[in-house]
Amino acid sequence: MFRLLSVFCAFFFSFLSVTGAFASNTMSPGVLTWGGDTEGGAPYMFHHADDIGELVGYEVEIVEAIAEQMGLSTRFVQNGWDNLIPGLERHLYDISIDGLEITPEHSDVVDFSMPYYVTHLQIAVRRDNFDITDLESCKGRVVGTLKQSYSQYVLDSLEGVEVRTYADEINAYTDLVNGRLDATLFDAPIALYYGGPMREVKFVGPEIGRIEYGIAVCKGEEELLSQLNQAIMTLRDDGTIRFILERWNLWNSLSAEEFQDLGPVKTTPDRYNGWIESHRPDSTWKDTVRRYMSFMPKLGRAAVTTIEVSLAAMVLAVLLGLCLAIVRVFGPAPLAVLSTWYVEIIRGTPVLIQLFFIFYGLPNVGIKLDPFTAGVIGLGLNYAAYEAEIYRAGLMAVPAGQMEAALGLGMTRRESLRHVVVPQAVRMVLPPVTNDFISLLKDSSLVSVITLVDLTKAYGQIATTYYDYFGTGLIVAAIYFLLGYPFIRLARWTEAKLEASLIPDRVRRQRKSGLGMRLF
């Protein structure tokens, strides 16, 4: 048992050293690392419709301009929108910019630069709805918005409104069109790009509130904050920020007042027009196929990440699960109790919470893991609890006479476990263990919450860019199936082999012919 534990520990620490598990501060000389969420979509940051590898958006251009002013190059780090500030506190990047609103709640946690854009909220309803005309008339209605946004705070403060929050805006507008929502309330840029092109949707009511977008930095980064403010002031005064905003059709009276730049429009909205043109329906099936084929490099890289995380996590789960099961069945009472509590606690808490704790919580005690390692450990520790129960069932299924016979032959208890009991148990549990790997393959999509871009995250990014959840979803589902199918075949092959070795030929022939399967 101790040798098995030693093997497990050696594997675990070797894995940490090989993967460079303990992440260091990402701040690098000459590089401005910035975090954002491409799944948030246009016009903030998204993948170019004609080149899925190119990141575009008005905030991408602002970051590039700011970095140029600071004499730095840039490096982008993908993270979920609602995890951008936790990722900043964890020093995954130097700054975060993705339509982050300067609110008292946000300012309590991070520092913000001076505003680089000012906008408002916009109500949208179905075109045949004439009852909702302003925010007050939303009372008694179902209204959708983005979670943890300023618009959610506004709706929560309004009594009588049933608020439904979404992780992305496309689903909210789709629900509005399908009648699941009476109205939506989003930042004006989101409404312009996602609600505006929909023929079934119209905007109603006056401009609501005043929203200031700022660049978030960690508390105490006074020098970095000063450099950002100086760069924004320079870009404001030389007209660069206005030029960028006008190209994306975002320049408005609130920004003009903020920048004291009240002159007429100077630039055509070519970025906005290009975005609208790129999202017209494909004219031929060849265009559709060509567009889907352009997704393959990105989906291929995401598939590699998915399979790497799944395989590494499964190895960890199998080794740790076997150790836990042996300790629980054959170990001393204190260790058996600890093993039992581990299984019950891990199985009793969601794997998503465990991933958040490992990636965002452990840095508070000085343990910083890179996203890949955190994902492997999170999934591996969680599945180890389930593997332990499978192995325990296998160990309990081995007849007690096997252990007694081994002891009777002069083997020690450790030798009996190693050479007699454990091999039989492992052979019996191979099919369910293989099935568990297929489940883990699908659960690996959860690692997208800790900045890894796996298949599910890539699907969200592409679907958001092209408004195509159906065709892209079928492609991603097919990739998941192709990844999992070899293991499905492996499970069936293992079951057939075990049946051949454990069940007499006479019984197997009866099962195949239907004999011996009578219910009465």
Side-chain angles (χ1 to χ4, degrees):
M1 184 186 307
F2 291 109
R3 181 171 296 180
L4 183 61
L5 289 171
S6 301
V7 170
F8 168 73
C9 291
F11 163 79
F12 184 68
F13 288 108
S14 299
F15 171 76
L16 294 182
S17 61
V18 168
T19 58
F22 295 99
S24 59
N25 195 319
T26 57
M27 295 183 181
S28 304
V31 179
L32 181 65
T33 308
W34 63 286
D37 183 12
T38 56
E39 199 169 352
Y44 303 92
M45 58 193 71
F46 57 101
H47 294 281
H48 197 288
D50 295 329
D51 183 2
I52 197 68
E54 182 184 358
L55 193 62
V56 295
Y58 84 94
E59 296 197 329
V60 177
E61 296 181 11
I62 288 177
V63 167
E64 295 289 345
I66 289 174
E68 185 177 355
Q69 287 292 321
M70 297 169 66
L72 302 173
S73 59
T74 60
R75 185 170 70 85
F76 173 70
V77 177
Q78 165 65 39
N79 200 0
W81 190 82
D82 46 354
N83 293 324
L84 287 176
I85 289 180
L88 188 66
E89 294 178 301
R90 199 187 175 284
H91 297 291
L92 295 176
Y93 26 80
D94 304 328
I95 64 172
S96 182
I97 174 174
D98 192 359
L100 293 176
E101 299 139 347
I102 304 176
T103 64
E105 293 81 6
H106 290 167
S107 298
D108 286 341
V109 183
V110 294
D111 286 332
F112 280 99
S113 69
M114 61 183 296
Y116 61 85
Y117 182 54
V118 184
T119 185
H120 58 86
L121 297 177
Q122 180 65 60
I123 298 175
V125 298
R126 286 187 301 281
R127 195 161 293 278
D128 59 355
N129 185 322
F130 300 97
D131 298 330
I132 298 177
T133 56
D134 55 21
L135 200 56
E136 283 295 318
S137 57
C138 289
K139 291 182 177 179
R141 306 286 183 166
V142 182
V143 183
T145 189
L146 201 64
K147 65 180 180 180
Q148 298 182 16
S149 64
Y150 172 66
S151 52
Q152 183 185 352
Y153 298 139
V154 170
L155 290 172
D156 286 341
S157 64
L158 197 64
E159 293 184 0
V161 176
E162 182 179 343
V163 182
R164 291 184 184 173
T165 59
Y166 292 80
D168 60 69
E169 48 277 347
I170 290 181
N171 289 336
Y173 281 109
T174 302
D175 278 359
L176 176 63
V177 171
N178 292 332
R180 299 190 184 104
L181 297 176
D182 296 314
T184 61
L185 183 66
F186 281 104
D187 294 7
I190 296 175
L192 175 66
Y193 276 74
Y194 290 92
M198 292 183 170
R199 289 175 295 183
E200 304 89 344
V201 173
K202 65 180 180 181
F203 299 146
V204 297
E207 298 177 353
I208 300 172
R210 173 187 170 90
I211 304 171
E212 295 180 343
Y213 289 169
I215 300 174
V217 300
C218 282
K219 289 281 186 183
E221 297 282 354
E222 300 296 338
E223 183 179 352
L224 176 60
L225 188 62
S226 176
Q227 293 176 359
L228 288 172
N229 285 333
Q230 184 60 50
I232 292 174
M233 283 190 286
T234 302
L235 297 172
R236 176 198 64 189
D237 295 342
D238 67 12
T240 300
I241 291 182
R242 174 168 180 166
F243 172 74
I244 293 173
L245 294 175
E246 285 186 346
R247 294 186 72 186
W248 290 93
N249 199 22
L250 297 174
W251 185 252
N252 56 29
S253 59
L254 292 173
S255 294
E257 291 176 4
E258 175 70 21
F259 291 173
Q260 289 297 297
D261 188 355
L262 303 175
V265 174
K266 305 171 184 175
T267 309
T268 57
D270 58 326
R271 298 289 195 193
Y272 173 74
N273 293 336
W275 185 86
I276 292 292
E277 185 64 29
S278 66
H279 285 75
R280 293 185 188 281
D282 294 323
S283 55
T284 65
W285 66 270
K286 290 183 179 178
D287 294 332
T288 303
V289 172
R290 190 179 302 112
R291 180 160 57 87
Y292 285 149
M293 291 303 295
S294 69
F295 301 163
M296 292 305 152
K298 183 176 181 65
L299 292 177
R301 290 192 295 272
V304 170
T305 300
T306 295
I307 201 70
E308 286 178 343
V309 169
S310 301
L311 285 173
M314 196 63 197
V315 171
L316 175 61
V318 166
L319 291 177
L320 180 57
L322 181 58
C323 293
L324 290 169
I326 293 175
V327 167
R328 186 169 179 181
V329 177
F330 299 106
L335 290 180
V337 170
L338 288 177
S339 174
T340 302
W341 274 107
Y342 175 88
V343 171
E344 298 305 328
I345 290 173
I346 294 295
R347 289 198 307 178
T349 52
V351 63
L352 188 62
I353 300 298
Q354 295 162 13
L355 285 171
F356 276 130
F357 176 78
I358 291 172
F359 192 64
Y360 293 111
L362 288 184
N364 293 324
V365 294
I367 301 176
K368 297 180 181 179
L369 302 173
D370 65 68
F372 181 83
T373 306
V376 169
I377 291 177
L379 291 174
L381 294 183
N382 181 272
Y383 268 78
Y386 296 93
E387 297 308 306
E389 289 301 278
I390 292 175
Y391 279 118
R392 187 169 71 89
L395 292 171
M396 300 292 287
V398 177
Q402 296 287 315
M403 172 68 85
E404 295 170 357
L407 294 174
L409 291 173
M411 290 185 182
T412 63
R413 187 175 178 80
R414 184 183 303 176
E415 290 172 336
S416 301
L417 280 174
R418 178 184 175 187
H419 297 293
V420 178
V421 178
V422 171
Q424 294 185 63
V426 169
R427 191 171 59 171
M428 283 188 283
V429 302
L430 274 179
V433 169
T434 311
N435 287 330
D436 256 10
F437 175 76
I438 297 168
S439 298
L440 192 151
L441 187 70
K442 291 177 286 188
D443 281 350
S444 65
S445 61
L446 295 172
V447 299
S448 63
V449 302
I450 56 173
T451 78
L452 279 179
V453 180
D454 71 321
L455 264 178
T456 302
K457 188 66 177 179
Y459 164 60
Q461 292 173 338
I462 293 173
T464 302
T465 300
Y466 294 93
Y467 292 180
D468 183 3
Y469 282 86
F470 183 74
T472 310
L474 290 177
I475 294 173
V476 172
I479 294 175
Y480 267 114
F481 174 76
L482 291 175
L483 291 178
Y485 188 69
F487 297 98
I488 295 173
R489 299 301 306 171
L490 176 63
R492 290 181 179 173
W493 178 82
T494 306
E495 289 175 5
K497 287 294 182 183
L498 286 177
E499 187 181 36
S501 61
L502 296 177
I503 301 176
D505 291 341
R506 179 179 56 81
V507 176
R508 283 192 289 113
R509 285 196 296 272
Q510 287 178 342
R511 287 184 178 181
K512 288 181 180 179
S513 64
L515 299 175
M517 300 296 287
R518 296 171 184 165
L519 297 177
F520 303 100

